[in-house]
Amino acid sequence: MSNNRLQDLNNEVMEKIGYKPLSNRIKPVHIANGLFREILGTQYSLETMNTWSKRFKSGKEINSANDIKSKYSEIIDEDMSLDEINELRGYIGQLLDSDKAVTPELKFSALTIASKTQVGSEVQNEFKIPGFLFRILNTKVDEQISPSLKKVKELLNDETDEISKFIRPLTNIDVKSKELEKVKPIETSLTGVELQIRKGFDKLVGNSKTNANKLLFLQRFITYSCFAIMYHLSSKFLDISNRFDSRDRIPLVLDANIGNDSIRIASQESLLLARLNIENFYEKTVENILLANEYSNKTKEDILEEINKLSFKQKKVKKANDNETEPNEEMKNVFIGYFNQTGNLIESYARAIRLIMFSKVINSSDPATSYVALGAKIGLIYGRTKKRYLPTPNILEVLILSVLNDGEMLTLSDFGRKICGDFGIIIGANPEEDVQQLKMWDISEHVPGDLYTSLAENADALSEIYISMGYAKRYADGVIIFSLNK
């Protein structure tokens, strides 16, 4: 193991995950930029659009109206005032920087994407996520790659939408494009969590009407892409642990926000469980790496000696009594503490590595924190202190489109089983079954009140949201039917 702040081991874990969820600054637009680039096989120059979109840096003007008028005189009327130029730039900024991902430095900048000419080169905050998702889409299932690849490519090549028309004078200046190396379809099979993600993608595109709004579909596609990463992070542990079978799902309790304390706490607990399973996934992956490197032959003294040799570049950490604690000493204490509890050397060392990696080595954010931050950005997670799954109508729509088949009609009870079976999502449609599921994961023990009644009320409230969107209908006998036939 390298002495370079355990980074070599962390990099190996990230390779096993397939991407690097190490920042709370990952935004949907970063994932869109990378995934659309992979699908198109082309990237475009964004220089002109970036210049027009970004007027200020740290409160100081960096691209003045005078500069714009001088540099782009061929597309600006001579009698256009500086105030009018700045007003126009304000509108362009609202269109192309809706996610606040446009930066003064082009190499870090990602634009809101309406068509292919807004797709740029790789930026830092993609963290290899787009390549991971593209691999899932480009892998053959039933001898076919995902139909979403063709659909998205067609939509990105279509520049007839209002945004693309409005900024065409800018994109006509940046005509430079770069063809990327073509990636052949992957013949290996998908299994477990990744296969379920792929099924959701295919259903989402299959449920897209041919005359549907182009921009709306692209937004849904990227929202689901973000959800897929969250689902993968929290559930991948199931694929590498022998404690679970293929039918098990990590429960994700959606709160309809009707002020029910039982549901609120159950949702908070399920979010905490997701974060713990991300940590378990990390630790189990570290265990497997250690075992592959014959750490089973090492003794407790060997591990302590190895920890002593590790080098940490971070500042020493001060405790409340102002005594300085060396990271090596803290890591040894954590390892010994776990080992005294479990007697398992490899597991204890893996847990110590994970804890020190998350708290001392990874500078920007750990995977569990990245999970919560991404969930907040797509409207799935909310809360200032005690966060929970509080979905917006937009994410609820994406979820039903990635679960139901076109023409399928399900009762509330069957819809609850369907969405739980696919993604572990619990809405309360089957209170007895849902409580048993929560008991299996030790969630119900921490929930006060009548959880059965609370779940039923929660399901009814979520159903009302789906009814208002046209994805469900309540009949005279009280039966609720979910379908995609609006």
Side-chain angles (χ1 to χ4, degrees):
M1 187 184 298
S2 169
N3 290 341
N4 186 20
R5 299 165 58 203
L6 301 177
Q7 283 292 6
D8 287 350
L9 179 60
N10 183 65
N11 290 340
E12 194 168 347
V13 175
M14 293 301 110
E15 288 181 9
K16 299 290 186 182
I17 293 176
Y19 47 96
K20 299 180 178 181
L22 298 176
S23 175
N24 57 14
R25 298 190 302 272
I26 300 171
K27 296 181 177 181
V29 69
H30 296 130
I31 296 174
N33 186 65
L35 186 51
F36 290 162
R37 184 180 62 251
E38 296 276 2
I39 293 173
L40 285 171
T42 308
Q43 65 187 37
Y44 291 80
S45 171
L46 309 179
E47 182 178 357
T48 299
M49 286 179 286
N50 202 80
T51 300
W52 278 75
S53 300
K54 202 66 180 177
R55 182 182 173 188
F56 297 100
K57 178 181 180 180
S58 302
K60 297 182 180 179
E61 192 171 44
I62 55 174
N63 296 309
S64 69
N66 265 323
D67 294 336
I68 293 290
K69 192 168 187 176
S70 173
K71 187 174 182 179
Y72 300 102
S73 58
E74 70 274 21
I75 62 171
I76 298 177
D77 292 337
E78 292 183 4
D79 59 349
M80 195 172 187
S81 69
L82 299 183
D83 287 342
E84 288 173 332
I85 291 174
N86 284 332
E87 184 179 8
L88 176 60
R89 295 183 66 197
Y91 291 131
I92 292 173
Q94 290 177 35
L95 287 175
L96 298 182
D97 193 20
S98 59
D99 271 356
K100 306 302 178 186
V102 177
T103 67
E105 292 79 19
L106 184 59
K107 63 180 179 179
F108 300 121
S109 199
L111 304 179
T112 304
I113 298 169
S115 57
K116 62 183 181 182
T117 51
Q118 294 94 58
V119 177
S121 58
E122 182 177 356
V123 296
Q124 182 181 26
N125 284 352
E126 291 177 18
F127 290 96
K128 307 300 180 183
I129 292 173
F132 169 79
L133 292 171
F134 181 71
R135 179 182 64 79
I136 290 177
L137 296 172
N138 202 38
T139 299
K140 290 186 176 181
V141 174
D142 296 330
E143 301 184 352
Q144 299 291 329
I145 61 174
S146 175
S148 62
L149 295 178
K150 180 181 178 181
K151 175 72 173 179
V152 171
K153 192 169 186 176
E154 287 177 352
L155 294 178
L156 291 174
N157 281 314
D158 174 13
E159 298 184 81
T160 61
D161 62 274
E162 292 80 359
I163 295 177
S164 298
K165 288 179 180 179
F166 183 72
I167 62 173
R168 184 160 295 152
L170 305 183
T171 57
N172 285 343
I173 295 174
D174 286 334
V175 293
K176 295 179 182 178
S177 64
K178 179 181 178 182
E179 295 293 325
L180 307 179
E181 183 179 350
K182 300 295 183 183
V183 181
K184 294 182 179 179
I186 302 171
E187 300 293 339
T188 56
S189 60
L190 295 174
T191 58
V193 173
E194 293 177 11
L195 179 59
Q196 187 57 54
I197 288 172
R198 168 60 180 275
K199 290 179 178 178
F201 269 118
D202 292 353
K203 285 182 180 179
L204 182 67
V205 69
N207 293 329
S208 173
K209 307 302 181 183
T210 56
N211 60 347
N213 184 291
K214 162 196 165 179
L215 299 179
L216 182 58
F217 173 79
L218 293 177
Q219 181 190 47
R220 290 171 178 166
F221 181 78
I222 294 303
T223 298
Y224 177 78
S225 297
C226 296
F227 171 76
I229 291 298
M230 294 179 62
Y231 175 64
H232 180 263
L233 273 176
S234 63
S235 300
K236 189 60 178 173
F237 177 66
L238 299 174
D239 287 351
I240 63 172
S241 173
N242 55 15
R243 292 167 46 201
F244 307 96
D245 63 36
S246 59
R247 294 170 297 177
D248 286 324
R249 295 287 183 270
I250 307 295
L252 187 161
V253 181
L254 297 187
D255 185 353
N257 200 27
I258 56 175
N260 189 297
D261 286 342
S262 296
I263 297 300
R264 175 178 55 81
I265 294 174
S267 186
Q268 291 171 356
E269 291 289 323
S270 69
L271 177 54
L272 176 61
L273 176 66
R275 299 189 64 170
L276 289 174
N277 274 290
I278 294 171
E279 295 174 358
N280 291 337
F281 179 30
Y282 193 103
E283 291 172 10
K284 189 66 177 178
T285 304
V286 171
E287 282 186 53
N288 292 337
I289 293 172
L290 295 176
L291 289 170
N293 286 276
E294 300 183 351
Y295 270 70
S296 56
N297 297 326
K298 292 184 179 291
T299 65
K300 174 183 175 182
E301 288 68 30
D302 293 332
I303 299 300
L304 292 173
E305 182 180 353
E306 182 172 282
I307 294 174
N308 269 332
K309 293 178 180 178
L310 293 174
S311 175
F312 292 85
K313 294 183 180 180
Q314 283 77 8
K315 294 180 180 179
K316 295 176 182 179
V317 180
K318 288 188 177 181
K319 290 186 175 180
N321 59 8
D322 290 335
N323 292 327
E324 293 185 343
T325 303
E326 294 283 353
N328 305 72
E329 289 300 314
E330 183 174 351
M331 187 170 180
K332 284 195 294 184
N333 291 336
V334 171
F335 164 67
I336 293 171
Y338 283 137
F339 184 69
N340 288 340
Q341 291 178 23
T342 66
N344 188 313
L345 186 141
I346 301 296
E347 179 183 310
S348 300
Y349 192 28
R351 295 185 76 179
I353 288 171
R354 196 273 305 162
L355 191 148
I356 296 300
M357 282 297 304
F358 282 20
S359 63
K360 299 290 188 293
V361 179
I362 300 174
N363 293 321
S364 53
S365 180
D366 60 70
T369 304
S370 300
Y371 173 92
V372 175
L374 189 57
K377 290 182 176 70
I378 63 172
L380 180 59
I381 293 175
Y382 179 79
R384 293 184 179 180
T385 53
K386 295 184 177 180
K387 293 178 169 49
R388 65 192 192 276
Y389 297 107
L390 192 66
T392 64
N394 286 337
I395 189 68
L396 288 175
E397 182 175 41
V398 169
L399 291 174
I400 195 171
L401 289 171
S402 59
V403 167
L404 261 60
N405 295 307
D406 190 22
E408 193 172 17
M409 301 180 70
L410 299 179
T411 63
L412 171 58
S413 180
D414 288 338
F415 175 68
R417 293 191 183 96
K418 180 79 169 176
I419 200 168
C420 185
D422 282 4
F423 297 119
I425 294 173
I426 291 178
I427 63 174
N430 301 282
E432 291 188 2
E433 297 171 21
D434 293 341
V435 168
Q436 289 303 313
Q437 176 80 347
L438 296 177
K439 280 184 177 179
M440 187 179 92
W441 294 96
D442 298 325
I443 289 178
S444 63
E445 297 177 2
H446 305 97
V447 178
D450 183 354
L451 185 54
Y452 292 90
T453 301
S454 297
L455 284 166
E457 292 174 352
N458 190 69
D460 194 64
L462 284 170
S463 297
E464 287 298 327
I465 299 175
Y466 276 118
I467 289 171
S468 69
M469 292 192 293
Y471 291 109
K473 184 176 180 180
R474 188 189 299 271
Y475 290 87
D477 57 0
V479 174
I480 301 173
I481 300 295
F482 286 75
S483 74
L484 304 179
N485 302 319
K486 288 190 175 185

